Amino acid sequence: MNKQPLVGILMGSDSDYDIMVEAAKALDQFGVPFEMTVSSAHRTPERTSRYVSSAKKRGLKVLIAGAGAAAHLAGVMAAETTLPIIGVPIDATSLNGMDALLAMVQMPAGMPVATMAVGKAGARNAGILATQMLALADDTLAEKLVTFKVEMAAGVEKKAAALEKRLAEDFGN
Ligand code: RP5
């Protein structure tokens, strides 16, 4: 991607990639330039600090953080910037993502992290939410989001019609 990235996606480990790629796909779908890398709140605190504290002057507008286990990445990022932070809890341990969800969502007053659902749906929504934030100052993006919602609704209508047809075939009603 050659254009100036507007969204920065950080993940705590490369093992988070299969989930976090959903955020990248959503941004790509709307044509939002992004960058993506690995940095851990615990294993590489200095790298994380460097990335986040330089994000605004490098032109990034929104940051997305994906992490599992004792997921402090999003909160640590929120401490270093006034850019909005969207957090994606990842199911990486025997606690099935509940650990990451609680670590991310229970931020103290004054330190917001917009926490998404656990896993792939959350990562996809993080990409869409970042797009919605950018669309506040970008009419073209705002129009793309309207089309997206219209198409999604049309998809549901289509599924409902198919399901109702099947019901009629299977049960005669
Ligand atoms: C977290 O620990 C990462 O975000 C990842 O979800 C989890 C496990 O990391 P690895 O041990 O797979 O590197 O920091």
Side-chain angles (χ1 to χ4, degrees), residues 61-129:
K61 306 285 186 207
V62 184
L63 299 177
I64 296 174
H72 297 129
L73 184 60
V76 161
M77 288 165 69
E80 296 255 18
T81 183
T82 55
L83 292 176
I85 309 286
I86 305 174
V88 181
I90 292 178
D91 171 3
T93 74
S94 50
L95 295 184
N96 301 324
M98 188 56 83
D99 41 5
L101 172 64
L102 294 179
M104 230 173 242
V105 80
Q106 286 295 94
M107 288 297 291
M111 300 299 296
V113 166
T115 303
M116 303 290 102
V118 175
K120 284 190 177 184
R124 177 155 173 75
N125 281 345
I128 297 169
L129 182 59

Side-chain angles (χ1 to χ4, degrees), residues 11-16 40-43 66-71 73 90-93:
M11 64 199 88
S13 169
D14 61 348
S15 63
D16 300 323
S40 164
H42 306 120
R43 292 166 175 159
L73 184 60
I90 292 178
D91 171 3
T93 74

Side-chain angles (χ1 to χ4, degrees), residues 159-173:
K159 284 180 187 171
L163 185 142
E164 286 161 20
K165 185 166 173 275
R166 193 172 157 191
L167 198 70
E169 284 162 6
D170 291 350
F171 299 97
N173 58 344

